[in-house]
């Protein structure tokens, strides 16, 4: 009689230790080892590691609405569901041969994955990971995002089309928008889910769509944006996800140039440029929009510059260490976490004083994802 | 030997049941009974009740960054800390005789309360509820909000001044801004923490401050906004917290009129008006900004109207029941919860189909607060 009770008590004691609120947690991708560090923002600490996620190069992830589960999109086509409370893999499917990115529906019931091989989008039940829709495109798909109304938007590299998949009926109802431009390589949606913007390899502009229109029409923006691209080698394509609202403008890493572009958030015209230390990879606005933090392509990827939004001037520059790959702000912006890959560290900074508050050991850290993302659209 | 072990097992089993993620939870104020319902957005269910909070008329609350604790501001001057994981009051101080509203600092370490009697603001350690700063004002204080950089902003009813309290040094450093106008009765800050706007009882305009300026200057906006106020009795002062960004505009309940005002989010000029069923109390934008939901003052408070942001036209009207006091959207806007006080229900609706999805029993429900608020500025 006694032993089962003791065993139960021990099990339950373990569970007690897991009685953790999930609002200030996060996951850090450890690319080389196919693992995720579980981190606590308030304690500035790692609190666990989840292993067995396969190839995590260029991996990203999204969170369930309750901030308990993460869905991890691996480059190898793996879709892995992890539980950050129990710190375990709770589901995994190899859903394609080569994939890039994913999204979760506004109601948290559907997870979509964007695939290169075979080209298309596959949509899965968020509970079971059973496939509920298969949308072949005969094209690599890029720029997959969620928008309100149980919809996903994505773009076809080969065909230059953007598709909207409406899942409200349970089956995918597709709206095709042609003539987005030649070879769209990435896309983003604004935080309100209204404006979808694609970057193009084959044209000297970007293309915007107003998703509030019944029939969104492609609209070229920033013509000449890539002029002078020959001037400097493009070591790393800028991530369009880096677009972020800073005051009344978006900030955009310029392609092949040592500068960031400022774009009016309302009419999407260029409003200014700021010279930077290197070719920007991410230009990320602090959540309040007052600062923009920029990291750079190899070989200048040991440096961060901070730009003030009011003056568009660089107000701070420092070298966290070799291989600064990613940045993530705390939800209200008082601190920022940096992945410094070749130092094997995640570093936490105060965004007001620029003081380093903590170093956390990590194995080749890359993407950092805080659970507050669960409540935002289009990430 | 056996009994303590069994007791431990039972205790721990209870704890097991509490291993809950906190990202999709919320609290509903039950005004008459001084209690809070704990609710789960995903399950559309009540999962518990916390009692013993004193006078909860006009009560509001804020959340800790980990979304585990709520700080409840009662009209009786009580500041109560509740744990939504264990569903218990874990701290309570009677910090003034009559208070209205509060805020939590961006780093989650400080909770501030705005008091009528005695007038001023008191700031407490979020862990212990020990008072760390007392800021007497010789005036009722209103419109208390947090802004980035461990700062709070509030306004003096009698003196017509706005004060910024900077707590970065641990002690309150006060910046006083005079000439805000006669009898400011409420205020708000935009979601980026930049623009602070006060409503005035004693003048026919509102006053705005740009908090990004080193020395913010009061700027009158919407002159003539209250013209025609005599036309209809003001049963209920509109809540300025209802200002919300809908596309490129803010929506504002008009004072004493059956209409909402549209205001350009950039230059704060009026851009339009929409006639409504009654005097609006809250005009709240769905998180994506595409819809605005409006409730009304007594005796027309059984009705909701939904306005489309693109056309500024009412697209839906319905009567949830008597005494619709408050609305709260799920963080990505797919559903909305309504407090229908005199029906003793909280009702959950799909914001796309307008279908009622659930009724939840509640005792005179008023304010609804979802935990995603933890990650937003100025609420």
């Amino acid at each position: 009689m006694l032993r089962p009770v003791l065993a139960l008590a021990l099990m339950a004691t373990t569970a007690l230790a897991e009685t953790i609120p999930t609002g200030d947690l996060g996951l850090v991708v450890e690319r080389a080892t196919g693992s995720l560090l579980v981190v606590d923002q308030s304690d500035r600490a790692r609190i666990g590691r989840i292993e067995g996620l396969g190839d995590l190069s260029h991996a990203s992830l999204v969170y369930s609405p309750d901030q308990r589960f993460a869905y991890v999109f691996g480059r190898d086509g793996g879709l892995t569901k992890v539980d950050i409370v129990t710190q375990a893999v709770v589901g995994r499917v190899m859903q394609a041969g080569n994939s890039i990115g994913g999204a979760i529906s506004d109601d948290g019931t559907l997870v979509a994955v964007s695939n290169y091989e075979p080209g298309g989008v596959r949509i899965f039940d968020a509970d079971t990971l059973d496939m509920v829709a298969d949308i072949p495109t005969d094209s690599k798909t890029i720029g997959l995002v969620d928008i309100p109304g149980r919809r996903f938007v994505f773009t076809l590299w080969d065909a230059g089309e953007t598709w909207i998949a409406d899942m409200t009926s349970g089956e995918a109802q597709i709206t095709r928008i042609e003539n987005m431009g030649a070879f769209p390589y990435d896309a983003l949606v604004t935080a309100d889910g209204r404006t979808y913007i694609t970057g193009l390899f084959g044209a000297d502009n970007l293309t915007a769509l107003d998703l509030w229109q019944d029939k969104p029409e492609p609209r070229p923006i920033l013509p000449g944006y890539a002029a002078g691209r020959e001037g400097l080698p493009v070591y790393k394509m800028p991530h369009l996800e880096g677009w972020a609202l800073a005051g009344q403008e978006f900030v955009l890493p310029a392609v092949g140039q040592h500068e960031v572009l400022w774009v009016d958030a309302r009419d999407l015209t260029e409003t200014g440029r700021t010279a930077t230390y290197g070719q920007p990879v991410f230009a990320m606005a602090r959540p309040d929009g007052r600062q923009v933090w920029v990291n750079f392509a190899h070989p200048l990827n040991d440096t961060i510059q901070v730009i003030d939004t009011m003056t568009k001037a660089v107000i701070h520059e420092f070298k966290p260490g070799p291989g600064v790959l990613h940045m993530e702000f705390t939800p209200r912006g008082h601190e920022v976490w940096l992945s410094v890959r070749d130092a094997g560290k995640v570093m936490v900074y105060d965004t007001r004083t620029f003081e380093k508050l903590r170093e956390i050991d990590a194995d080749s850290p890359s993407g950092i994802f805080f659970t507050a993302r669960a409540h935002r659209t289009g990430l």
Side-chain angles (χ1 to χ4, degrees), chain A:
Chain A
M1 174 70 200
L2 188 61
R3 291 185 62 189
V5 172
L6 271 171
L8 174 61
L10 285 169
M11 272 175 55
T13 304
T14 306
L16 259 179
E18 288 165 359
T19 302
I20 46 171
T22 49
D24 60 349
L25 301 185
L27 293 167
V28 178
V29 172
E30 297 184 304
R31 184 192 298 207
T33 49
S35 53
L36 299 168
L37 275 189
V38 184
V39 297
D40 183 311
Q41 295 161 48
S42 302
D43 294 339
R44 303 186 194 112
R46 48 188 279 184
I47 59 173
R49 176 177 271 145
I50 303 170
E51 298 182 322
L53 283 99
D55 180 359
L56 291 185
S57 53
H58 292 277
S60 63
L61 58 87
V62 297
Y63 286 102
S64 63
D66 61 2
Q67 301 179 330
R68 174 171 187 165
F69 299 106
Y71 301 89
V72 186
F73 309 105
R75 191 58 188 266
D76 58 2
L79 166 62
T80 311
K81 180 177 180 177
V82 303
D83 180 338
I84 61 174
V85 171
T86 62
Q87 301 182 0
V89 170
V90 293
R92 181 166 164 82
V93 291
M94 291 303 294
Q95 57 83 43
N98 187 334
S99 64
I100 186 92
I104 185 165
S105 60
D106 58 356
D107 63 356
T109 62
L110 299 172
V111 174
V113 191
S114 174
N115 292 319
Y116 283 180
E117 184 50 49
V121 166
R122 286 177 168 161
I123 300 178
F124 299 85
D125 180 294
D127 279 336
T128 61
L129 300 190
D130 291 338
M131 188 160 73
V132 295
D134 184 13
I135 308 170
T137 58
D138 287 327
S139 168
K140 289 181 184 174
T141 56
I142 57 94
L144 171 64
V145 300
D146 56 271
I147 62 171
R150 229 172 178 234
R151 291 178 298 167
F152 297 102
V153 186
F154 53 91
T155 295
L156 283 53
W157 158 267
D158 307 276
E161 295 182 6
T162 292
W163 291 16
I164 303 170
D166 184 332
M167 294 296 295
T168 50
S169 72
E171 298 197 356
Q173 305 294 323
I174 303 293
T175 301
R176 288 171 60 166
I177 299 153
E178 300 182 343
N179 301 315
M180 291 294 290
F183 302 116
Y185 72 90
D186 198 3
L188 68 94
V189 73
T190 52
D192 61 3
R194 177 172 183 174
T195 307
Y196 185 82
I197 299 169
T198 57
L200 302 172
F201 251 125
D204 201 10
N205 60 276
L206 297 89
T207 303
L209 291 175
D210 178 357
L211 299 174
W212 282 13
Q213 303 294 337
D214 290 335
K215 297 190 177 181
E217 296 283 340
R219 174 179 152 213
I221 59 168
L222 295 183
Y225 145 82
R229 182 186 285 186
E230 294 78 14
L232 289 165
V234 180
Y235 287 105
K236 175 112 186 127
M237 286 308 294
H239 290 266
L240 285 185
E241 294 86 354
W243 282 54
L245 193 63
Q248 302 171 339
E249 293 159 301
F250 291 110
V251 192
L252 172 69
V255 174
Q257 303 293 318
H258 287 196
E259 64 188 15
V260 296
L261 304 181
W262 300 80
V263 177
D264 186 284
R266 192 167 288 189
D267 62 17
L268 301 178
T269 58
E270 186 182 323
T271 53
R273 299 185 176 203
T274 299
T276 55
Y277 174 71
Q279 290 189 47
V281 176
F282 286 105
M284 301 187 75
R286 198 171 67 176
D288 68 340
R290 182 63 198 270
Q291 295 178 349
V292 177
W293 289 55
V294 187
N295 71 340
F296 303 101
H298 181 83
L300 302 177
N301 60 354
D302 62 344
T303 298
I304 290 281
Q305 285 185 318
V306 181
I307 302 173
D308 176 72
T309 301
M310 292 274 280
T311 61
K312 296 187 171 64
V314 173
I315 56 168
H316 187 64
E317 177 179 324
F318 66 108
K319 293 186 186 299
V324 181
L325 294 196
H326 198 233
M327 301 173 267
E328 179 89 333
F329 291 93
T330 55
R332 292 166 69 191
H334 71 305
E335 295 179 4
V336 65
W337 290 43
L338 308 178
S339 273
V340 190
R341 182 191 56 201
D342 301 333
K345 304 279 187 193
V346 171
M347 299 180 184
V348 184
Y349 287 82
D350 184 309
T351 63
R352 190 179 49 81
T353 64
F354 305 118
E355 178 190 359
K356 188 196 292 183
L357 302 171
R358 192 68 55 89
E359 289 188 359
I360 299 166
D361 288 334
D363 203 338
S364 295
S366 56
I368 306 173
F369 303 89
F370 289 156
T371 52
R373 288 170 172 255
H375 300 142
R376 296 178 57 196
T377 289
L379 291 179

